[in-house]
Amino acid sequence: ISDEVVDWKSQVVYHNLEHPQDTNADNQLTPLDALQVINALNDISQHQLPVTLGSLEDRIGASRYLDVNSDSILSAIDALIVINGLNA
């Protein structure tokens, strides 16, 4: 138990704080992480990610951390960061 106050409104829901390139939270960086971002880019017409879970959760699943660069926008740069990580 902690006295720490968390402002949930400012939390980035779709960003993996510990491992940003690990989009499926399996503690591994694999081609599947890049594929999830690419598939979401093709599937979602609105790339501005919501601040809270909702209808997007129903479409892509809450366990996917697609906002790799933590800007609240799903974009090709998110996929590129994962791909560059795979090639490192």
Side-chain angles (χ1 to χ4, degrees), residues 12 14-23 25-28 65 67-68 70:
V12 181
Y14 297 98
H15 178 72
N16 186 338
L17 292 172
E18 292 184 30
H19 307 286
Q21 297 169 332
D22 180 15
T23 62
D26 67 353
N27 293 317
Q28 299 178 36
Y65 296 102
D67 188 12
V68 178
S70 187

Side-chain angles (χ1 to χ4, degrees), residues 6-85:
V6 176
D7 180 6
W8 292 106
K9 292 179 184 174
S10 66
Q11 297 296 312
V12 181
V13 177
Y14 297 98
H15 178 72
N16 186 338
L17 292 172
E18 292 184 30
H19 307 286
Q21 297 169 332
D22 180 15
T23 62
N24 62 353
D26 67 353
N27 293 317
Q28 299 178 36
L29 178 58
T30 67
L32 180 59
D33 295 302
L35 186 60
Q36 287 191 135
V37 177
I38 294 166
N39 284 343
L41 282 167
N42 288 325
D43 187 45
I44 302 169
S45 61
Q46 175 69 4
H47 293 158
Q48 178 73 35
L49 295 170
V51 176
T52 59
L53 295 174
S55 62
L56 185 61
E57 177 185 13
D58 297 334
R59 300 271 314 273
I60 63 172
S63 64
R64 297 191 190 166
Y65 296 102
L66 303 175
D67 188 12
V68 178
N69 65 347
S70 187
D71 65 354
S72 298
I73 298 172
L74 177 60
S75 66
I77 193 70
D78 295 305
L80 182 62
I81 291 169
V82 176
I83 292 167
N84 286 342

